[in-house]
């Protein structure tokens, strides 16, 4: 079967919400074609939303990071009280399984935000001494590598999410909380990261054209 036919099967199964058909179709090589396209289109849609709503550009990932951290802290704090206070009827079983899933969400959306801040292996001190053309080349290479990484993660985690759905996997310690509710946030986070990659690259081209500095010192936790 050709990769185009496999891609057609993926699209058909997804449109029909056929869980078992999706699981089988997503394993094919055509998934790379479909989810590469999804990543590119999704990145430009996210970038357009950022341009239309600047508040989201500045605060979306940061808000997700803060609120997931607060949820994790609350669950852990409540769990400690429930474990050691004698008048409370023990801690729920899910108090040790839900926080790691929220931490996963916090980590990947935080990764998207820090890609925008260029705090991941930016080598700013080394690159500052390069000629401008080489600086731009390094920034283009960064964008290509990050975007390729996004495609890989979106494709593989989409497969994982569909497998979780078709197997009706629940979070340990719960009766009806599904694992895929959390897993699906990973490809979403990496589509948002792809948007940040494009946003940075467009900014780099504009800085190169106007003579602005290409390499700036990144600050973790700084403003976009």
């Amino acid at each position: 079967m050709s990769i185009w036919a496999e891609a057609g099967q993926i699209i058909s199964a997804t449109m029909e919400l056929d869980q078992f058909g999706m699981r089988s179709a997503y394993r094919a090589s055509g998934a790379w074609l479909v989810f590469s396209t999804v990543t590119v289109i999704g990145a430009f849609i996210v970038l357009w939303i950022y341009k239309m709503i600047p508040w989201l550009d500045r605060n979306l990932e940061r808000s997700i990071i803060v609120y997931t951290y607060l949820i994790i802290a609350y669950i852990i704090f409540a769990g400690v009280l429930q474990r050691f206070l004698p008048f409370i009827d023990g801690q729920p079983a899910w108090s040790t399984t839900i926080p790691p899933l929220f931490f996963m969400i916090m980590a990947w959306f935080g990764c998207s935000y820090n890609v925008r801040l260029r705090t991941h292996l930016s080598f700013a001190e080394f690159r500052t001494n390069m000629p401008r053309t080489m600086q731009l080349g390094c920034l283009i290479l960064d964008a290509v590598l990050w975007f390729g990484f996004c495609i890989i993660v979106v494709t593989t985690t989409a497969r994982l999410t569909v497998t979780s759905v078709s197997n009706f996997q629940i979070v340990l310690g719960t009766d009806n909380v599904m694992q895929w509710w959390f897993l699906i946030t990973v490809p979403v986070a990496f589509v948002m990261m792809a948007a940040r990659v494009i946003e940075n690259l467009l900014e780099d081209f504009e800085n190169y054209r106007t003579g602005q500095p290409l390499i700036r010192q990144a600050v973790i936790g700084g403003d976009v």
Side-chain angles (χ1 to χ4, degrees):
M1 184 181 296
S2 72
I3 191 171
W4 297 102
E6 292 171 349
Q9 284 189 343
I10 292 170
I11 295 171
S12 175
T14 303
M15 295 294 292
E16 295 172 1
L17 296 180
D18 179 1
Q19 299 175 5
F20 298 101
M22 290 167 64
R23 182 175 66 177
S24 176
Y26 280 29
R27 292 175 180 170
S29 299
W32 293 101
L33 175 62
V34 172
F35 288 106
S36 296
T37 305
V38 168
T39 303
V40 172
I41 295 175
F44 279 103
I45 292 174
V46 171
L47 191 58
W48 177 78
I49 293 173
Y50 284 156
K51 297 303 180 185
M52 294 297 102
I53 311 175
W55 185 91
L56 293 178
D57 188 17
R58 296 190 302 270
N59 298 295
L60 178 57
E61 291 112 332
R62 288 196 291 188
S63 298
I64 294 172
I65 295 166
V66 169
Y67 284 111
T68 51
Y69 181 82
L70 290 175
I71 292 171
I72 293 168
Y74 173 77
I75 293 173
I76 293 174
F77 177 73
V80 171
L81 295 180
Q82 291 164 338
R83 176 177 294 182
F84 293 105
L85 293 181
F87 54 84
I88 298 179
D89 189 21
Q91 67 183 115
W94 53 262
S95 62
T96 58
T97 57
I98 293 289
L101 295 171
F102 276 109
F103 181 83
M104 173 192 70
I105 296 172
M106 182 181 69
W108 292 128
F109 281 95
C111 187
S112 173
Y113 182 64
N114 282 284
V115 165
R116 174 58 175 148
L117 296 180
R118 305 174 192 265
T119 54
H120 288 305
L121 301 176
S122 59
F123 305 107
E125 295 82 1
F126 176 71
R127 293 179 176 181
T128 301
N129 297 318
M130 291 181 172
R132 282 180 62 82
T133 303
M134 291 186 65
Q135 290 179 0
L136 182 62
C138 289
L139 293 172
I140 294 173
L141 178 61
D142 286 347
V144 171
L145 293 176
W146 275 116
F147 207 91
F149 183 52
C150 291
I151 290 173
I152 292 170
V153 175
V154 169
T155 304
T156 54
T157 55
R159 288 170 169 171
L160 179 63
T161 302
V162 167
T163 299
S164 179
V165 172
S166 62
N167 289 334
F168 305 99
Q169 295 175 342
I170 64 172
V171 177
L172 296 177
T174 68
D175 295 324
N176 53 12
V177 178
M178 309 303 295
Q179 289 187 17
W180 73 265
W181 298 351
F182 298 91
L183 294 176
I184 200 172
T185 63
V186 181
V188 172
F190 276 85
V191 168
M192 292 174 61
M193 187 188 300
R196 293 302 194 182
V197 171
I198 295 173
E199 188 175 18
N200 284 351
L201 187 60
L202 294 175
E203 184 180 90
D204 294 333
F205 284 136
E206 180 63 19
N207 289 338
Y208 185 81
R209 186 184 66 83
T210 59
Q212 297 295 318
L214 291 172
I215 309 295
R216 295 184 175 91
Q217 186 62 44
V219 178
I220 297 176
D223 292 328
V224 174

